[in-house]
Amino acid sequence: ARFPDVTGSPLEIDGEVGSLTWGAMFGASTVPANSAAPSALAQAAVAFAITQIGVMEKPIGSNRGPEVDRYLSAVGLDLAVGSFAWCVAFTHFCYRQAAEKLALPNPHIRTAGVLDHWNKAGRKPRVVRVTSARAADDPGLVKPGALFIIDLGKGLGHSGMVIEVANGRLVTIEGNTNDNGSRNGIGVFKREARKIAQINRGFIDYSAF
């Protein structure tokens, strides 16, 4: 209640000794931190995602716009039907651009659905799913280029790309969000507020490709 974590943010009183509490007690060096993507494909996906920071919907709140339409078209959605949530379409597009640059097949599952992505990833060879429980126990399993999956209930969810893990906090790039981390926001944002323990479904890791 009285002490901040290693990033200077207030510790959350949750009754658990998570990675942030551990780092505050025993030092930042005792908590795993990852800043380098583990494969060329993941590195290229992160690099492309960074170039998209600041992309905004046009008009704001429409789930449309030149760049957003490219993301949605890449996963096969018919834009003549209307607008769609696009956080997973964004991560798919980042991996598609990375794969094309490296002349590799794109391993990212072609879907715009957050939970559909999670479920299908569990059936695809070489794709690693790190559950929320495993990630909380061992933050070192979460690597740059991985995609976080949050289940919000009633079939809704949110996803984004991890670009750095810093002492239990995630640095992410997220499509269809805002400064507050909404699942249906206005653009592509870099965020530093999410904690590993708050990712309630887990992470999808394509670094084996």
Side-chain angles (χ1 to χ4, degrees):
R2 297 173 54 196
F3 292 90
D5 63 25
V6 294
T7 67
S9 301
L11 283 167
E12 180 180 345
I13 303 173
D14 57 9
E16 298 181 5
V17 181
S19 54
L20 293 173
T21 303
W22 187 277
M25 293 172 65
F26 302 111
S29 63
T30 65
V31 181
N34 289 323
S35 60
S39 70
L41 180 62
Q43 290 170 13
V46 167
F48 180 80
I50 290 171
T51 71
Q52 302 299 287
I53 296 170
V55 166
M56 302 294 282
E57 297 175 352
K58 298 181 180 65
I60 294 297
S62 66
N63 282 345
R64 296 296 298 271
E67 294 92 346
V68 175
D69 287 356
R70 290 178 68 200
Y71 306 152
L72 292 169
S73 295
V75 294
L77 292 174
D78 183 358
L79 301 181
V81 174
S83 60
F84 304 88
W86 51 276
C87 62
V88 178
F90 168 71
T91 61
H92 176 273
F93 191 80
C94 291
Y95 265 90
R96 190 180 83 163
Q97 294 299 107
E100 288 180 356
K101 178 180 179 180
L102 298 173
L104 296 171
N106 181 11
H108 191 301
I109 293 163
R110 193 170 185 243
T111 181
V114 176
L115 301 183
D116 185 54
H117 188 199
W118 176 259
N119 292 334
K120 289 180 177 176
R123 301 190 294 268
K124 184 168 181 174
R126 298 173 63 194
V127 177
V128 176
R129 291 196 314 179
V130 180
T131 64
S132 57
R134 289 179 63 211
D137 287 343
D138 185 358
L141 295 174
V142 183
K143 304 169 185 175
L147 311 172
F148 71 80
I149 304 293
I150 297 175
D151 186 344
L152 298 171
K154 298 182 179 179
L156 301 177
H158 183 58
S159 184
M161 184 181 296
V162 176
I163 64 170
E164 185 178 349
V165 182
N167 308 115
R169 288 191 182 273
L170 303 173
V171 181
T172 59
I173 298 177
E174 305 172 27
N176 200 17
T177 194
N178 55 24
D179 284 329
N180 294 323
S182 168
R183 65 160 293 275
N184 192 16
I186 58 174
V188 179
F189 286 72
K190 179 182 178 181
R191 305 192 67 253
E192 300 183 7
R194 298 198 187 277
K195 303 175 184 178
I196 287 178
Q198 294 172 335
I199 307 302
N200 65 355
R201 186 57 69 97
F203 300 83
I204 298 174
D205 185 342
Y206 286 109
S207 63
F209 291 86

